[in-house]
């Protein structure tokens, strides 16, 4: 078994990813049908990063901070409509090849399947199950160790609504994440959630959804010493959320949501949180050549790669694209993410030089900036060249880093 591997870029905000299937279900209820057959995409990414581990101090002898990386990957999906139901299977896989740190070479893969179901004229949704394996992000771990996150996911979402009027929405979700390295099993995470709410749909106003959402998050191998003894880490997260998706015109599109969130940690000495969450995105087509967009979110997140019970994560982002011609474009963008860590503890990992205690962090701020030139001669294939700069400042300098990347990506769709 390799001692260390390459890190994939795996990050996301909970509110942006929680219910993508609801939008799909609503689209199906308005007459969008599933196509039959095979589709896919192949990518080849070549990059140079002057800080491949996103660290200021390298802990492993022989590691090279700057490196070239070649990453081929592919995604395949097969859809089979049966009556009004849309069955599908899909998978993705890729591999990282490093020029200087070849002991970091590593692949990842994932597969899932399910059915976009439709019952009657009003009810539709998604039932799915999936499995994936990927390297933990070094930025979350804080150290370069070989740790696969193995995830199993099951979900069911439903929407019962007509073209106009009031309808019902709801769903259940379960995710199990296990870590492969012994020093990271404290991060093994189990999440079970459910939601239910009302949907109001209007041709003029758009879709307005009110939901109640509940999650139970458990760390089965993490026990915290308190005055009451050893207590298993976990928490309950509840939300009441209002989301609006409104047609704003041919040039302006977007959605927005607000929520009130409260947490109840299982460990008696960990602080609870009560406060507002939000999510929104807006894009505007200024002219046939120029467009821009902004996004914002705030939510309570948890990760199997972080020594913290939960995080309050706030993200702002913006982008702009200018078409230089019918096949070339120039894009720029930036994001600012701030995380506040709750329920933190010190974890010890084994290095070649001996045991190492990973420091505790309570807050951090990370900025990313990029500029990209895109080339898309047709609908089948395209290429892009991107420069990216990242910087993180933490309350503990151990987690600080900055880094530059140059990335060439070529993709082919079929």
């Amino acid at each position: 078994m390799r001692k260390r591997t390459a890190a994939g870029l795996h990050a996301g905000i909970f509110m942006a990813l929680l219910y993508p299937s609801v939008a799909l279900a609503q689209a199906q209820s308005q007459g969008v049908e599933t196509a039959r057959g095979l589709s896919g995409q192949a990518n080849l990414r070549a990059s140079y990063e002057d800080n491949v581990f996103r660290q200021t101090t390298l802990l492993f002898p022989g590691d090279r901070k700057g490196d070239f990386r070649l990453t081929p990957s592919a995604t395949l999906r097969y859809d089979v409509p049966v009556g009004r139901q849309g069955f599908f299977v899909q998978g993705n896989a890729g591999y990282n090849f490093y020029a200087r740190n070849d002991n970091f070479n590593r692949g990842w893969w994932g597969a899932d399947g399910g059915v976009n179901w439709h019952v009657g004229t009003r009810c539709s949704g998604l039932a799915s199950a999936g499995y994936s394996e990927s390297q933990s992000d070094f930025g979350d771990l804080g150290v370069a160790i070989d740790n696969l996150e193995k995830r199993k996911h099951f979900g069911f979402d439903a929407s019962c609504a007509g073209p106009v009027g009031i309808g019902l929405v709801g769903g259940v979700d379960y995710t199990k994440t296990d870590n492969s390295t012994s020093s990271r099993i404290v991060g093994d995470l189990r999440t079970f959630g459910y939601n239910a709410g009302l949907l109001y749909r209007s041709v003029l106003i758009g879709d307005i959804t009110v939901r109640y959402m509940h999650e139970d998050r458990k760390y089965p191998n993490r026990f915290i010493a308190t005055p009451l003894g050893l207590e298993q880490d976990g928490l309950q997260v509840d939300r009441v959320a209002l989301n609006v998706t409104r047609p704003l015109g041919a040039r302006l599109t977007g959605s927005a949501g607000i929520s009130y969130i409260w947490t109840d940690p299982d460990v008696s000495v960990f602080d609870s949180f009560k406060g507002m969450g939000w999510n929104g995105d807006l894009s505007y087509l200024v002219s046939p050549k120029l467009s821009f967009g902004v996004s914002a979110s705030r939510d309570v997140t948890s990760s199997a790669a972080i020594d913290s019970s939960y995080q309050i994560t706030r993200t702002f982002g913006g982008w702009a694209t200018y078409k230089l011609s019918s096949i070339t474009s120039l894009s720029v963008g930036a994001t600012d993410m701030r995380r506040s860590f709750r329920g933190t503890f010190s974890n010890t990992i084994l290095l070649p030089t001996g045991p190492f205690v990973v420091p505790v962090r309570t807050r951090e701020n990370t900025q990313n900036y990029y500029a990209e030139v895109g080339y898309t001669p047709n609908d089948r294939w395209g290429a892009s060249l991107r420069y990216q700069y990242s910087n993180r400042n933490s309350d503990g300098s151990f987690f600080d880093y900055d880094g530059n990347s140059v990335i060439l990506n070529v993709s082919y769709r079929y």
Side-chain angles (χ1 to χ4, degrees):
M1 179 177 177
R2 295 178 177 88
K3 295 296 182 183
R4 303 150 290 167
T5 71
L9 297 178
H10 302 284
I13 301 303
F14 179 84
M15 291 300 292
L17 301 177
L18 184 58
Y19 299 110
S21 58
V22 173
L24 175 60
Q26 293 172 357
Q28 289 180 319
S29 68
Q30 299 177 42
V32 178
E33 296 183 357
T34 302
R36 176 187 294 271
L38 181 68
S39 61
Q41 179 169 310
N43 288 277
L44 181 62
R45 167 177 162 149
S47 64
Y48 175 77
E49 301 164 78
D50 63 8
N51 190 349
V52 294
F53 310 124
R54 293 185 291 284
Q55 297 174 1
T56 300
T57 303
L58 300 184
L59 301 178
F60 290 89
D63 286 350
R64 303 289 296 274
K65 193 173 183 180
D67 207 347
F68 295 90
R69 176 166 53 160
L70 188 66
T71 307
S73 63
T75 300
L76 288 174
R77 177 182 173 110
Y78 192 77
D79 289 277
V80 182
V82 178
R84 302 177 65 196
Q85 318 307 315
F87 293 88
F88 69 91
V89 291
Q90 60 186 9
N92 64 87
Y95 202 92
N96 287 315
F97 295 95
Y98 280 82
R100 297 177 178 175
N101 298 285
D102 57 1
N103 56 330
F104 281 70
N105 292 351
R106 189 55 172 254
W108 74 90
W109 70 278
D112 65 284
V115 55
N116 293 304
W117 58 268
H118 201 125
V119 177
T121 60
R122 294 173 56 90
C123 294
S124 59
L126 172 67
S128 65
Y131 178 83
S132 66
E133 293 187 3
S134 61
Q135 165 67 37
S136 293
D137 189 282
F138 288 151
D140 283 342
L141 291 174
V143 291
I145 60 172
D146 180 358
N147 181 66
L148 278 178
E149 294 183 19
K150 303 178 180 182
R151 301 181 185 89
K152 296 179 181 178
H153 174 263
F154 307 91
F156 178 86
D157 289 306
S159 172
C160 289
V164 296
I166 297 177
L168 301 175
V169 294
V172 294
D173 188 88
Y174 175 76
T175 302
K176 177 184 178 182
T177 306
D178 289 321
N179 293 287
S180 63
T181 304
S182 59
S183 60
R184 287 300 324 153
I185 63 172
V186 294
D188 292 355
L189 179 61
R190 312 287 185 262
T191 301
F192 173 76
Y194 57 85
N195 72 92
L198 296 175
L199 165 67
Y200 176 72
R201 179 170 290 158
S202 168
V203 176
L204 298 177
I205 300 176
D207 288 356
I208 301 175
T209 308
V210 178
R211 293 179 189 266
Y212 167 72
M213 294 177 279
H214 175 82
E215 281 186 284
D216 286 309
R217 304 177 186 176
K218 302 293 184 185
Y219 298 91
N221 301 316
R222 182 184 296 176
F223 293 86
I224 307 298
T226 74
L228 301 178
L230 290 178
E231 298 180 2
Q232 183 179 352
D233 194 9
L235 71 154
Q236 290 77 50
V237 183
D238 292 278
R239 300 177 182 83
V240 175
L242 171 68
N243 194 81
V244 179
T245 303
R246 186 178 187 275
L248 301 174
R251 292 178 176 269
L252 191 64
T253 59
S255 63
I258 59 172
S259 60
Y260 187 78
I261 308 169
W262 61 99
T263 68
D264 182 16
D266 294 344
V267 178
S268 58
V269 296
F270 287 170
D271 293 334
S272 60
F273 169 79
K274 294 181 180 180
M276 299 299 297
W278 62 77
N279 66 291
D281 62 87
L282 187 70
S283 61
Y284 181 62
L285 182 64
V286 180
S287 69
K289 289 182 174 292
L290 178 63
S291 61
F292 70 88
V294 293
S295 61
S297 64
R298 184 177 190 240
D299 197 31
V300 171
T301 60
S302 294
S303 170
I306 298 177
D307 296 327
S308 161
S309 186
Y310 65 98
Q311 306 85 47
I312 303 167
T313 303
R314 187 274 295 154
T315 303
F316 295 129
W319 57 269
T321 297
Y322 183 78
K323 291 186 177 181
L324 301 172
S325 69
S326 60
I327 60 175
T328 59
S329 62
L330 175 65
S331 301
V332 294
T335 60
D336 180 271
M337 181 175 69
R338 179 174 298 172
R339 294 195 292 192
S340 175
F341 301 86
R342 304 292 178 93
T344 58
F345 67 98
S346 296
N347 185 30
T348 301
I349 61 172
L350 295 178
L351 302 180
T353 55
F356 177 79
V357 178
V358 180
V360 171
R361 52 181 161 172
T362 59
R363 65 181 62 88
E364 68 179 23
N365 198 30
T366 306
Q367 291 89 32
N368 290 281
Y369 309 91
Y370 75 88
E372 180 178 284
V373 177
Y375 176 71
T376 311
N378 54 53
D379 293 336
R380 286 287 187 181
W381 79 277
S384 65
L385 179 64
R386 170 180 291 211
Y387 166 75
Q388 183 169 299
Y389 172 74
S390 302
N391 176 268
R392 180 169 69 191
N393 290 299
S394 176
D395 56 349
S397 59
F398 178 82
F399 293 98
D400 292 351
Y401 78 89
D402 64 355
N404 298 276
S405 307
V406 178
I407 305 164
L408 174 65
N409 189 74
V410 180
S411 62
Y412 179 79
R413 292 173 290 276
Y414 50 91

